[in-house]
């Protein structure tokens, strides 16, 4: 009877002695991801060694170990991207994955080696590294106004204005609001438009009209002198 109970008791200790828990940590590509892990430190004698591994926690040590510490400092490090940035002497042995990548996704084991049989603290973490989210919001345009200080003579805004020659209402081209009732009406409208155009042209170039008038006067005077000489 005793030989039957003893093996079962040993098997029960193997299955229930270590504490195992599981957590999920989610991060994005390019970020620093912290995978938490702590143990209680009552005094300096409570400080102990631990390891991180890239797989579920085995019966002892760590599978595919990536970093080790003796409780005071890091003793082994698989890559500089795996760091222990917590206070080791206070039991903070959280793992920091620097510049996370999609390949970093998977199961991580935190194993704190507590003295005694089957006393190790085991935590399995499932790390999920996702691609960075792309913003779909429409781009914003920011505008600024140039304002002048109080008492200055410059205005707060500048407006470019194009000035055209002013035309009185009587000189402006007339537009028929209704269709021509006959050929004579259309002809009158066309003549008015031509006269208006000539008037506008003469107003826009007054010097040209002056030169033409002087030339006509000189020609008439020359014809008058020739007529007097012939008579």
């Amino acid at each position: 009877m005793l030989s039957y109970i003893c093996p079962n008791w040993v098997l029960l200790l193997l299955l229930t002695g270590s504490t195992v828990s599981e957590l999920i940590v989610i991060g994005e590509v390019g970020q620093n991801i912290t995978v938490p892990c702590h143990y209680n430190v009552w005094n300096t004698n409570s400080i102990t060694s631990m390891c991180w591994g890239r797989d579920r926690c085995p019966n002892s040590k760590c599978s595919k170990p990536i970093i080790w510490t003796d409780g005071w400092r890091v003793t082994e490090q698989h890559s500089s991207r795996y760091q222990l940035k917590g206070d080791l002497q206070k039991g903070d042995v959280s793992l920091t994955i620097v510049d996370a990548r999609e390949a970093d996704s998977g199961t991580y084991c935190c194993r704190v080696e507590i003295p005694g049989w089957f006393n190790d603290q085991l935590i399995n973490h499932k790390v999920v590294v996702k691609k960075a989210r792309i913003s779909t919001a429409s781009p914003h345009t920011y505008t600024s106004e140039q304002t002048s200080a109080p008492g200055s003579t410059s205005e707060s805004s500048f407006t470019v204005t194009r000035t055209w020659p002013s035309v009185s209402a009587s000189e402006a081209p007339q537009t028929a609001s209704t269709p021509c009732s006959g050929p004579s009406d259309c002809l009158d409208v066309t003549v008015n438009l031509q006269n208006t155009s000539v008037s506008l042209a003469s107003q826009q170039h007054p010097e040209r009209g002056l030169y033409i008038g002087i030339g006509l006067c000189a020609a008439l005077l020359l014809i008058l002198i020739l007529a007097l000489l012939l008579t």
Side-chain angles (χ1 to χ4, degrees), residues 1-213:
M1 183 69 179
L2 182 63
S3 61
Y4 174 76
I5 294 176
C6 288
N8 289 340
W9 180 74
V10 172
L11 180 61
L12 182 64
L13 287 177
L14 289 174
L15 293 176
T16 61
S18 300
T19 302
V20 181
S21 60
E22 293 190 5
L23 297 174
I24 298 178
V25 179
I26 300 176
E28 292 185 356
V29 173
Q31 294 181 343
N32 292 350
I33 300 177
T34 299
V35 187
C37 188
H38 301 80
Y39 69 95
N40 295 324
V41 176
W42 309 108
N43 49 47
T44 56
N45 294 329
S46 302
I47 298 174
T48 184
S49 59
M50 62 84 57
C51 63
W52 279 94
R54 284 293 306 266
D55 208 340
R56 296 184 63 84
C57 296
N59 293 330
S60 63
K61 305 301 180 180
C62 290
S63 297
K64 303 177 182 177
I66 56 177
I67 194 167
W68 281 84
T69 175
D70 59 2
W72 300 91
R73 61 184 179 83
V74 174
T75 56
E76 293 183 26
Q77 190 176 15
H78 178 71
S79 170
S80 60
R81 294 179 53 246
Y82 302 124
Q83 301 179 13
L84 300 180
K85 294 185 176 182
D87 192 341
L88 300 180
Q89 285 76 36
K90 292 183 179 180
D92 185 358
V93 290
S94 301
L95 174 67
T96 299
I97 305 175
V98 178
D99 190 17
R101 307 165 186 173
E102 287 188 88
D104 293 324
S105 298
T107 301
Y108 288 75
C109 167
C110 171
R111 186 183 199 102
V112 180
E113 298 177 324
I114 299 176
W117 282 51
F118 315 113
N119 289 334
D120 289 355
Q121 176 181 307
L122 312 178
I123 304 178
N124 291 318
H125 293 273
K126 183 178 181 181
V127 177
V128 179
V129 183
K130 298 181 178 180
K131 293 182 179 179
R133 290 170 293 181
I134 301 176
S135 176
T136 58
S138 58
H140 297 280
T141 302
Y142 300 93
T143 58
S144 60
E145 293 184 359
Q146 181 179 357
T147 57
S148 58
S152 62
T153 57
S154 61
E155 297 181 356
S156 60
S157 61
F158 301 90
T159 304
V160 179
T161 306
R162 179 175 295 177
T163 305
W164 298 95
S166 59
V167 180
S168 61
S170 60
E171 296 173 347
Q174 301 295 327
T175 304
S177 58
T178 58
C180 300
S181 58
S184 59
D185 294 338
C186 293
L187 181 60
D188 293 339
V189 172
T190 304
V191 172
N192 290 335
L193 291 175
Q194 292 177 353
N195 293 336
T196 304
S197 300
V198 173
S199 176
L200 290 175
S202 62
Q203 290 182 5
Q204 293 177 0
H205 305 283
E207 296 180 356
R208 185 181 299 176
L210 179 61
Y211 295 151
I212 293 175

